[in-house]
Amino acid sequence: THCGDLWNLKYLHRFKWSHLTEKVAYERRVREQKLRVEMMQARRENVAYTQLVETGKKLDKIEQRKRKQADKGEPRNDKTTDFPGNSSNNNNNKRRKPRQTTPLQEKGSTKSTKPALLGSLVA
């Protein structure tokens, strides 16, 4: 019943079966590579999320410990809460002020050498 269907295929000059299989294999490799990249991205996001959850749990435990100490009337030990986000720690730090340098000037002139320097570079 379907014997005439094969004659309906168009003949492609110098087309080999290996060309078709190579294309299919290439498409499969591309698809696998995309899947691999997506999986790596998902893993990275998962690791970042779990790290955030763990740090949140640690901070919750620190706050619980502080509350328990406050309820017992024990003095607070600020050394245990010495982390970058602590606002009381930030007030104790001194800010460094960088030393200002004076601009270069030509000998015997009060104007800066920027225009002269730019002129020499452009010319």
Side-chain angles (χ1 to χ4, degrees):
T1 61
H2 300 290
C3 62
D5 289 344
L6 290 177
W7 292 106
N8 289 334
L9 294 174
K10 185 175 181 180
Y11 175 73
L12 298 175
H13 186 65
R14 292 186 183 174
F15 183 79
K16 306 278 185 195
W17 180 255
S18 61
H19 297 143
L20 184 62
T21 56
E22 286 174 6
K23 182 178 180 184
V24 170
Y26 173 75
E27 290 173 354
R28 183 177 52 235
R29 284 193 305 266
V30 168
R31 188 172 49 249
E32 288 173 356
Q33 180 67 22
K34 285 181 183 179
L35 182 64
R36 194 175 307 123
V37 168
E38 289 176 5
M39 291 296 291
M40 288 174 58
Q41 179 66 24
R43 267 191 224 120
R44 270 189 247 123
E45 290 175 359
N46 191 16
V47 167
Y49 178 75
T50 55
Q51 286 178 349
L52 287 174
V53 168
E54 288 175 1
T55 55
K57 286 181 182 179
K58 287 179 185 178
L59 292 175
D60 288 343
K61 287 182 182 180
I62 289 171
E63 289 178 9
Q64 287 176 357
R65 230 180 287 137
K66 283 182 186 179
R67 280 192 225 118
K68 284 182 183 179
Q69 287 178 354
D71 291 343
K72 290 180 183 178
E74 294 178 8
R76 278 180 53 189
N77 187 1
D78 286 335
K79 291 180 181 176
T80 59
T81 61
D82 196 17
F83 53 90
N86 192 357
S87 62
S88 64
N89 189 23
N90 290 340
N91 294 336
N92 296 333
N93 292 340
K94 293 182 182 178
R95 291 186 61 115
R96 273 186 60 191
K97 293 183 180 179
R99 184 181 304 158
Q100 295 290 326
T101 57
T102 57
L104 296 175
Q105 295 180 352
E106 291 181 17
K107 294 180 182 178
S109 174
T110 58
K111 66 177 187 175
S112 67
T113 58
K114 268 188 178 178
L117 182 63
L118 287 175
S120 66
L121 290 175
V122 175

